[in-house]
Amino acid sequence: MKKYIKVVFCLILVSILGSCSLDFNPKSSLTDDSYWKSETDVEGSVTAMYYSLSKSLSKGYYDWGELRGGNWIGNQPNGPDQYDIITNNIKSTNSAALWTNLYQTINRANLIIKYAPSVSMMPSVKSGYLAESYAIRALAYFYVVRVWGDAPLSLEPVEEYLVETVFKERTSSEVLLNQIVSDLETAEMYAQPISSGTFSRSRVNIMAIYAMMADVYAWMHEYAKVIEVVEKINSLAKSKPYWKMLTLSSAASESTFSTQWRAIFSKFDRNQSLDKLNQERIFYISYNELENGTNGNTSYFCTGVAKAMPSEQLLSLYEPDDYRYAATYSTGSTKRLTLKYWPDNATFGTGGVVSDGDLILYRMSDIVLLHAEALAASGQLEKAVAELNKTRVRAGLGEYTALQFLTPDELISAILKERTIELIGEGKYWFDLLRTGHAGDIGGIDDPNKYLFPISKTHLDENDKLSQNDGYGTE
């Protein structure tokens, strides 16, 4: 009977918070007296936390951050939820309105933060696990804030079914953002120095924490802090030969560019020594069909019935000599996002490429362009243009000069265009439009109430303390 109650409780928690801290086997329960006794227990819980994050982003990476804003044409029969996202007709029954897996990630981070400190292990190892947990909790909440705005805040793990702890009201986005900053500062405090190249970029380290900080501060328009964090990033990259933006000489051919730039995104070898070699990557989510499953990579963009096809708005952004165009899209009249992520002559569909490519959350070029935005917003136009030119020159384009921009806003618009081209398909575009104030004029959404996603009808039905975002119903 006790095991039956535990199973039912788990199902309740999964449906409400997207998290169940209990395992059906009492011997492996995360709250059982036999658990949280060894480093192996903590490592297993950290792995489970990353697993939940990978499930969150297997579709959310594209649904939340990529598809909105006019860059894509939807395919209603083969991707109805994605079609509604692309056409800004999102309903509370859309699968993208669910925050289940993000809150499961948060709950697993909360468990580690609560229990890992009492587990006996090397202090440096323990600190590393805590750094990862605080950073992943911050990242999960950062997605929550950008997608839904106000949302429940939980800093303690849900370990038993109590109405007052399971069901929570929405906390303001300002409070959530302050908590995100606090978590990242704590993660920075716990993060261990990297002393060799044998580390995995699919696990959070100090550089990933700095990248998250830069992203969060940019979202908050605290651009002076973005500049400070990028100085830390540049200092660390200079002292350790593990991170470097891909650079090519101005005389590099289009073929050379294509080979080296596409290598950033292609399926990455799990060998840690090779992780050292891909210096452009900072942090990515790794997928494996036989382990944590697949993501929407190929079904969204590559098959003959792709859910999203490049729009004319997107394709028209490219200048004639931009090497990235031919290194990103398929040849022929029907364009698809097939060259940026997959090897030449890849086949898709039955018997073809499995959709378990890595999803890059942060890379050095992203940070360079965030830095450019922060400098421009701070009135440092010459420095901002110098940063902006780094990705342009690498792609075979001519340099801008500061004299071409009369105001910081004009320069930020140019940086936004560059980010769109450089980071297309990397889950950044919609968030970039929101952050820079262009969700309306560029993104095509006239009603600011539609900038956020609706809260899922599932969550509203389960928790009467929640209220729907303005502009949406409960259909």
Side-chain angles (χ1 to χ4, degrees), residues 38-322:
S38 68
E39 180 183 335
T40 301
D41 294 338
V42 178
E43 171 63 23
S45 299
V46 170
T47 300
M49 176 181 68
Y50 279 104
Y51 174 83
S52 293
L53 182 63
S54 73
K55 301 305 288 185
S56 300
L57 298 183
S58 62
K59 292 175 58 181
Y61 184 85
Y62 305 113
D63 289 346
W64 300 328
E66 184 64 42
L67 295 184
R68 304 185 77 183
N71 278 347
W72 302 98
I73 300 170
N75 185 330
Q76 189 172 33
N78 294 295
D81 282 350
Q82 289 66 44
Y83 182 85
D84 287 347
I85 293 169
I86 290 169
T87 57
N88 299 311
N89 187 34
I90 312 171
K91 295 180 174 62
S92 64
T93 52
N94 193 300
S95 62
L98 289 162
W99 58 37
T100 304
N101 287 316
L102 285 172
Y103 274 98
Q104 184 178 68
T105 304
I106 290 165
N107 199 60
R108 286 175 171 171
N110 287 341
L111 283 163
I112 299 163
I113 290 168
K114 178 177 179 178
Y115 288 107
S118 63
V119 177
S120 178
M121 67 182 94
M122 289 181 59
S124 61
V125 174
K126 182 185 297 185
S127 292
Y129 289 139
L130 290 172
E132 290 179 273
S133 301
Y134 277 103
I136 294 299
R137 184 170 76 177
L139 181 62
Y141 272 125
F142 191 37
Y143 271 101
V144 168
V145 166
R146 290 179 295 176
V147 177
W148 294 280
D150 301 348
L153 173 65
S154 179
L155 302 179
E156 294 291 331
V158 176
E159 301 177 81
E160 58 181 327
Y161 182 67
L162 298 173
V163 172
E164 61 269 24
T165 58
V166 171
F167 295 105
K168 292 181 178 293
E169 297 177 346
R170 299 173 71 181
T171 299
S172 73
S173 57
E174 290 79 11
V175 171
L176 292 175
L177 284 166
N178 288 334
Q179 182 61 50
I180 290 165
V181 170
S182 176
D183 277 355
L184 290 174
E185 289 174 344
T186 304
E188 179 185 16
M189 177 187 71
Y190 279 119
Q192 298 300 294
I194 295 175
S195 57
S196 72
T198 56
F199 68 95
S200 173
R201 296 170 194 265
S202 62
R203 298 282 291 258
V204 167
N205 56 55
I206 185 61
M207 187 64 96
I209 293 166
Y210 288 152
M212 293 178 202
M213 282 183 169
D215 202 6
V216 171
Y217 284 136
W219 181 262
M220 299 170 72
H221 294 166
E222 294 190 16
Y223 285 117
K225 292 184 178 180
V226 175
I227 294 170
E228 289 178 7
V229 172
V230 174
E231 288 175 355
K232 292 182 179 181
I233 289 173
N234 290 340
S235 177
L236 182 57
K238 185 176 180 180
S239 65
K240 300 289 185 183
Y242 309 139
W243 300 277
K244 182 181 179 182
M245 176 185 159
L246 173 64
T247 55
L248 297 169
S249 73
S250 58
S253 68
E254 183 172 0
S255 175
T256 298
F257 169 84
S258 180
T259 298
Q260 296 195 33
W261 191 68
R262 290 175 63 196
I264 297 169
F265 313 103
S266 61
K267 183 70 177 176
F268 207 57
D269 196 303
R270 299 294 175 263
N271 185 301
Q272 288 184 334
S273 65
L274 291 182
D275 248 349
K276 175 184 175 181
L277 297 179
N278 198 323
Q279 296 173 311
E280 174 82 17
R281 290 191 184 197
I282 296 175
F283 178 50
Y284 66 90
I285 303 296
S286 174
Y287 289 84
N288 186 298
E289 182 186 18
L290 301 178
E291 295 174 6
N292 61 334
T294 61
N295 57 56
N297 204 290
T298 59
S299 65
Y300 275 56
F301 302 115
C302 296
T303 66
V305 289
K307 297 177 181 179
M309 303 286 285
S311 69
E312 188 57 38
Q313 171 181 304
L314 171 58
L315 298 177
S316 67
L317 294 177
Y318 291 81
E319 298 173 42
D321 297 327
D322 195 326

Side-chain angles (χ1 to χ4, degrees), residues 219 221 223 373 412 416 431-439 442:
W219 181 262
H221 294 166
Y223 285 117
E373 180 183 318
I412 289 175
L416 176 60
F431 298 143
D432 284 349
L433 290 183
L434 289 176
R435 186 184 64 252
T436 58
H438 288 293
I442 296 176

